[in-house]
Amino acid sequence: MIAFSDIEEALAGCWRIAFGDQSAMRHFDLTADGFWGSFRLAGIIAVCDAVDATVGHFAGYDGSAADAGLGAAIWVFIVAGLTSLVTFTAFPLLVAAAARPMGLSERFAPYVTIRNWLTFFLSFPIYLLNAFTYAEWLPLDVIGLVVLSFEVVVLLAGYSVARVVLGAAKSIAIGLSLMDFLLALVIAKGATMLLF
């Protein structure tokens, strides 16, 4: 289990790192246990993503018929959960392969640990935004603007983590942030093709 105090510390750390504060790394457990422990967040996000996708399915926001039946909903739940796990772990695996040639292997584990926590925190505004969409509480053009703004925030946060934790050059930090973001989009597109 993840202690609430760990979540509080990591949230404070992510917030401060997003604004370029290198001392904020002390908020994280950067040991080997902390590194592997941060991957437990993948399970939490996978369940949340699966529930979110299933609610979206019943609300008719996934491109399928909302009355397609329980079997279709279970399939959406399973595929969304597995897609979430793949998305969460794919980027660290790619970075692991590239870390040594790029001269980043020394700070790879802290970077991935903090990136995992950042991914965890950035997931929850998406669920809230999706809830507003499913409930039709906001016009679609307003939601589109909020989504675009949030995507910019995600890219900037990823950039900040790469700059602060890895000490990466601006070009590498931009590349890592874009790679993480675009990889998630590609995997999500593949999952959509699998579903429909």
Side-chain angles (χ1 to χ4, degrees), residues 39-114:
F39 283 93
R40 289 181 292 186
L41 300 168
I44 298 170
I45 295 174
V47 171
C48 293
D49 283 348
V51 170
D52 180 56
T54 305
V55 171
H57 167 76
F58 281 115
Y61 278 89
D62 64 355
S64 67
D67 60 351
L70 182 61
I74 292 171
W75 179 241
V76 168
F77 185 91
I78 291 170
V79 171
L82 291 176
T83 300
S84 178
L85 290 173
V86 170
T87 301
F88 192 92
T89 55
F91 178 72
L93 289 172
L94 281 177
V95 174
R100 187 174 300 237
M102 293 172 66
L104 303 174
S105 53
E106 185 178 324
R107 291 192 164 197
F108 165 75
Y111 172 67
V112 169
T113 300
I114 295 172

Side-chain angles (χ1 to χ4, degrees), residues 108-139:
F108 165 75
Y111 172 67
V112 169
T113 300
I114 295 172
R115 174 266 180 190
N116 288 351
W117 277 104
L118 181 67
T119 301
F120 175 73
F121 293 123
L122 289 176
S123 296
F124 290 94
I126 296 171
Y127 305 138
L128 182 61
L129 185 58
N130 285 347
F132 285 161
T133 303
Y134 303 152
E136 298 180 351
W137 289 342
L138 291 173

